[in-house]
């Protein structure tokens, strides 16, 4: 596709027709990366601010971000402030947004304000920003909220492409129109690559298309997954995506491949903008950083690439000492460390000058009267120091070597990286654990590889008997990436429990067969986890905080190892403790021997309306959409007929009823336990049982009443829609 470079002259800007949608595309801003570094702390926020300023100066219609806006799913206040400041400075304004929303916004933007921010009558958004979440800023914690939820609730970002169910994904587009150009914006936020691969393979991913004029829509999709096959199932193949797409914006990969690449097999183009800040010292990060302005007119599009100017210069080089003419002579000589060090220092000095020249070249079009100050560059020199037979290269300590360039480079601790290709068996550490070969360890630097891969390469040299290897890597990843402080503890406890249960189920076994049985069970668990049938357990249940616990003195209660329930037995014991405490309360209050059954009835009654309310709500959705305004485009599934409405499947309503039913049953079952505790205290055996039976009868009768009420109200007139409610305001 044609790619235009440089500034767009004002004359060409005036020639833009009313049918052209201009979209600024960027991804992987990673705001907050290394923010505590005195030199590089503001790099990510400066680059993001430049991107947003480009959107305002180039007068685009919208901004599309393909994930990882923040480097952490719990960004600091400074990072959140910088992002909100930049968005408000460049996206708010008096210029009216010319994009018209044709789809039902409640299906695309979930939340309190389920509409696009530029349609909000209380704020004036000139340039709307549409974004999915990545693997760094994904939802977590109580409420399953992401940092993008905070930006959406404040009216700064349109957060779309959510994936609430990883095993059943429904992808519905945001339908926009400007003049005669219709744009279908698809989005799929980050899902664990192995699980997403299995979900696509099992046919559990459904794409919806507009029900009318399918051939007139320009279809864009943004994803945030591995683009290359790092493992057998650890990526998203391009041929998994539907063929009706026109352009795929690929996030997560940091190498900038901004020019769209045509896929002849799938008949769509793929654009990989890359990151706007270098988060690792790897060759892919050394490529010049760009963003793109996509101009869509009808079904045609063109791309204008823009090089970012605030990105810190980064130059990387790799040398092999055994092939270097000067270094090869010193391999078989003694006391050659000073000469070799001086030779490497000279190479680094040349890389510093090269980085300065490249940065000045990027500033040629900048209209500034004052002299530009070149920022300290990032330099990485990888040295392979395997010596020829009979020789040896005496290299200086990498830390000491890197500290020579304080004040000259930004990364003063890791300028050089030594590695050696060595064949042979694994080496042993002082602790007795086997380590991978040095060549593998050199390639697995902490800033260039995922934690799972690092753990897998390390555990390959070990002989684990109880703990499954792939589950081990997943637990370590949750501990490091997601800051789950109890991930390892839960994993170890569950692994030990499973092994003990497996051994107890064996009928006859000898002591010699125990290790064999444990190894077979471990292999079975690894196979199940690899196929996706064995899911990682959810976060353990938090025990009630003791009354005498002082968080200011003792710390956060959730950080304590004994604050979580890790087994069903312990959970049942906590329920029994609650029942005993309730019984003691009833004993203290005279004449309340029947209080426990009544509470059970009340709890059961409370659970029943929940199921009824959920079901009625889903019926209202169908009725609302049947009476919706005519300008909303009806959506259809790719694999189904065009007359199918763009609504949630009927199976979801049945699932909603099943969710509330176990709660009612659990409440009914828990009531007799408390009643039994009351009987042991007050000896009201007969009246308590009668009260209990009455309580159950009332609960059943109440559920039936709710169902009958639901049938009576099923055909009631629909309530006012969200759009009409906003109009009344």
């Amino acid at each position: 596709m044609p790619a235009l470079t440089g500034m767009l002259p004002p004359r060409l800007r005036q020639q833009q027709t009313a049918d052209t949608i201009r979209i600024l595309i960027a991804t992987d801003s990673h705001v907050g990366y290394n923010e505590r570094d005195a030199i590089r702390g503001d790099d990510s926020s400066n680059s993001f601010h430049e991107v947003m300023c480009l959107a305002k100066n180039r007068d685009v219609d919208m901004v599309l971000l393909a994930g990882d806006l923040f480097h952490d799913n719990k960004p600091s206040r400074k990072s959140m402030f910088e992002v909100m400041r930049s968005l408000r400075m460049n996206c708010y304004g008096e210029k009216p947004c010319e994009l018209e929303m044709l789809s039902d916004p409640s299906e695309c933007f979930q939340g309190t304000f389920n509409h696009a921010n530029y349609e909000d009558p209380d704020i004036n958004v000139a340039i709307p920003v549409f974004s999915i979440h990545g693997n760094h800023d994904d939802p977590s914690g109580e409420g399953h909220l992401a940092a993008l939820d905070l930006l959406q609730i404040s009216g700064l970002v349109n957060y779309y492409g959510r994936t609430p169910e990883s095993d059943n994904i429904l992808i519905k587009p945001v339908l926009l129109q400007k003049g005669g150009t219709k744009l279908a914006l698809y989005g799929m936020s980050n899902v664990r690559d192995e699980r997403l691969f299995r979900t696509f393979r099992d046919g559990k991913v459904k794409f919806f298309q507009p029900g009318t004029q399918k051939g007139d829509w320009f279809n864009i999709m943004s994803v945030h997954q591995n683009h290359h096959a790092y493992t057998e199932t650890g990526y998203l193949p391009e041929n998994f995506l539907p063929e009706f797409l026109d352009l795929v914006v690929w996030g997560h990969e940091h190498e900038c491949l901004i020019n769209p690449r045509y896929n002849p097999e799938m008949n769509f183009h793929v654009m990989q903008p890359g990151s706007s800040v270098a988060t690792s010292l790897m060759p892919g990060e050394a490529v010049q950083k760009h963003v793109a302005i996509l101009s869509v007119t009808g079904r045609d599009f063109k791309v204008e690439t823009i090089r970012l100017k605030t990105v810190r210069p980064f130059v990387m080089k790799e040398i092999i000492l055994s092939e270097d003419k000067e270094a090869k002579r010193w391999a078989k000589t003694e006391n050659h460390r000073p000469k070799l060090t001086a030779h490497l220092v000279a190479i680094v000095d040349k890389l510093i000058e090269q980085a300065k020249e490249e940065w000045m070249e990027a500033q040629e079009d900048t209209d500034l009267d004052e002299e530009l100050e070149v920022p300290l560059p990032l330099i990485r020199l990888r040295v392979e120091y395997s010596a020829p037979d009979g020789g040896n290269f005496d290299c200086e300590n990498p830390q000491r070597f890197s500290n020579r360039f304080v004040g000259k480079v930004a990364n003063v601790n890791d300028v050089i990286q030594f590695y050696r290709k060595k064949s042979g068996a694994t080496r042993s550490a002082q602790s007795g654990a086997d380590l991978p070969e040095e060549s593998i360890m050199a390639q697995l630097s902490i800033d260039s590889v995922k934690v799972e891969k690092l753990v897998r390469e390390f555990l390959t040299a070990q002989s684990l008997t109880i703990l499954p290897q792939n589950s081990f890597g997943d637990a370590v990843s949750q501990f490091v990436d997601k800051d789950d402080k109890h991930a390892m503890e839960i994993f170890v406890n569950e692994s030990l429990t499973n092994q003990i249960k497996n051994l107890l189920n064996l009928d006859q076994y000898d002591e010699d067969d125990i290790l064999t049985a444990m190894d077979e069970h471990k292999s079975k668990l690894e196979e199940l986890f690899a196929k996706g049938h064995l899911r990682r357990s959810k976060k353990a249940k938090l025990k009630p905080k003791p009354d005498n616990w002082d968080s200011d003195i003792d710390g956060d209660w959730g950080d304590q190892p004994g604050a979580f329930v890790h087994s069903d037995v312990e959970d049942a014991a906590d329920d029994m403790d609650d029942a005993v405490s309730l019984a003691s309360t009833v004993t203290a209050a005279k004449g309340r021997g029947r209080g426990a059954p009544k509470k059970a009835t009340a709890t059961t009654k409370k659970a029943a309306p929940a199921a009824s309310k959920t079901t009625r709500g889903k019926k209202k959705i169908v009725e609302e959409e049947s009476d919706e305004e005519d300008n909303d485009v009806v959506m259809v599934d790719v694999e189904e007929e065009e007359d199918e409405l763009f609504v949630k499947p009927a199976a979801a309503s049945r699932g909603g009823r099943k969710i509330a039913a176990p709660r009612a049953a659990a409440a009914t079952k828990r009531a007799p336990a408390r009643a039994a505790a009351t009987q042991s205290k007050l000896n009201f055996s007969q009246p308590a049982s009668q009260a209990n039976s009455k309580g159950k009868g009332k609960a059943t009768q109440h559920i039936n009443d709710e169902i009958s009420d639901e049938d009576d109200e099923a055909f009631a007139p629909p309530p006012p829609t969200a759009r009409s409610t906003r109009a009344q305001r």
Side-chain angles (χ1 to χ4, degrees), residues 290-569:
H290 292 79
V291 294
I293 294 181
L294 175 70
S295 300
V296 180
T297 306
R299 294 297 304 274
D300 299 327
F301 73 98
K302 62 179 181 180
V303 175
E304 174 190 357
T305 61
I306 304 174
R307 181 178 176 181
L308 298 179
K309 300 179 180 180
T310 59
V311 178
R312 187 176 297 275
F314 174 33
V315 177
M316 181 175 181
K317 184 177 181 180
E318 183 173 358
I319 63 173
I320 302 176
L321 292 182
S322 59
E323 298 178 1
D324 188 273
K325 294 182 180 179
E326 296 186 20
K328 186 186 298 185
R329 298 177 300 173
W330 304 324
K332 297 182 179 181
T333 61
E334 297 181 357
N335 300 325
H336 61 269
R337 176 183 290 189
K339 297 180 181 179
L340 180 59
T341 301
H343 177 63
L344 296 178
V345 168
I347 295 178
V348 173
D349 289 335
K350 292 181 180 179
L351 296 180
I352 295 175
E353 294 299 325
Q354 178 184 345
K356 292 181 178 180
E357 293 176 0
E358 292 180 357
W359 191 85
M360 292 299 299
E361 180 182 351
Q363 313 300 318
E364 290 181 354
D365 298 331
T366 305
D367 298 332
L368 294 176
D369 297 334
E370 58 185 16
E371 185 178 356
L372 297 176
E373 181 180 357
V374 182
L376 297 179
L378 296 172
I379 303 297
R380 167 55 66 90
L381 178 63
R382 298 189 76 235
V383 180
E384 198 275 304
Y385 67 104
S386 299
D389 295 339
N392 181 37
F393 288 113
D394 188 8
C395 301
E396 191 176 12
N397 179 271
Q399 181 80 23
R400 188 180 301 111
F401 180 90
S402 301
N403 291 339
R404 293 173 179 266
F405 302 94
V406 173
K408 297 182 179 180
V409 299
N411 55 319
V412 295
N413 295 321
D414 50 5
V415 172
I416 197 167
Q417 181 186 26
F418 293 105
Y419 72 98
R420 180 170 55 188
K421 294 181 180 180
K422 180 181 178 182
S423 59
T426 58
R427 58 192 180 94
S428 299
Q430 295 180 356
S431 59
D434 293 332
L435 299 176
E437 297 179 3
E438 291 185 1
S439 59
I440 299 178
M441 293 296 293
Q443 298 173 6
L444 297 179
S445 58
I446 195 64
D447 57 353
S448 65
V449 73
K450 286 187 173 183
V451 176
E452 297 98 327
K453 187 175 181 181
L454 186 65
V455 174
R456 183 173 63 252
E457 294 293 345
F458 181 80
L459 295 180
T460 301
Q462 314 301 318
S463 57
L464 297 181
T465 306
I466 300 177
L467 304 179
Q469 178 175 318
N470 46 13
S471 303
F472 192 103
D474 180 65
V476 175
S477 176
Q478 294 296 325
F479 177 80
V480 175
D481 296 335
K482 309 301 181 185
D483 195 23
D484 189 349
K485 301 177 182 179
H486 304 279
M488 293 302 301
E489 179 186 359
I490 295 174
F491 163 70
V492 173
N493 291 338
E494 288 184 351
S495 300
L496 293 177
T497 303
N498 290 334
Q499 283 286 7
I500 293 174
K501 289 181 179 179
N502 176 60
L503 295 177
L504 293 177
N505 291 333
L506 297 177
D507 296 335
Q508 296 180 356
Y509 59 88
D510 298 331
E511 294 182 358
D512 298 336
D513 299 334
I514 292 180
L515 292 178
T516 303
M518 294 174 64
D519 186 67
E520 292 177 354
H521 184 67
K522 178 183 72 72
S523 301
K524 183 179 179 181
L525 293 179
E526 292 177 347
E527 182 179 356
L528 292 175
F529 185 86
K531 294 181 179 180
H533 300 308
L534 184 63
R535 299 182 180 179
R536 191 177 66 88
S537 63
K538 298 181 180 179
K539 192 173 182 180
K541 179 181 177 183
L542 185 66
K543 296 180 181 179
K545 185 171 67 173
D547 297 335
N548 59 351
W549 186 271
D550 191 342
S551 300
D552 296 334
I553 300 177
D554 302 327
D556 189 5
W557 170 245
D559 295 338
Q560 307 304 314
F564 288 87
V565 178
H566 301 301
S567 64
D568 298 337
V569 177

Side-chain angles (χ1 to χ4, degrees), residues 601-619 652-665 667 699 702-707 709-710:
T601 306
T603 307
T604 310
K605 287 184 178 181
K606 187 176 181 180
S612 175
K613 184 177 180 180
T614 304
T615 309
R616 285 204 306 270
K618 299 201 172 192
K619 289 188 178 181
S653 62
R654 294 194 300 269
R657 185 178 302 223
K658 290 180 181 179
I659 292 174
R663 294 183 179 176
H702 186 79
I703 293 175
N704 294 333
D705 292 342
E706 287 295 326
I707 295 177
D709 292 341
E710 175 190 343

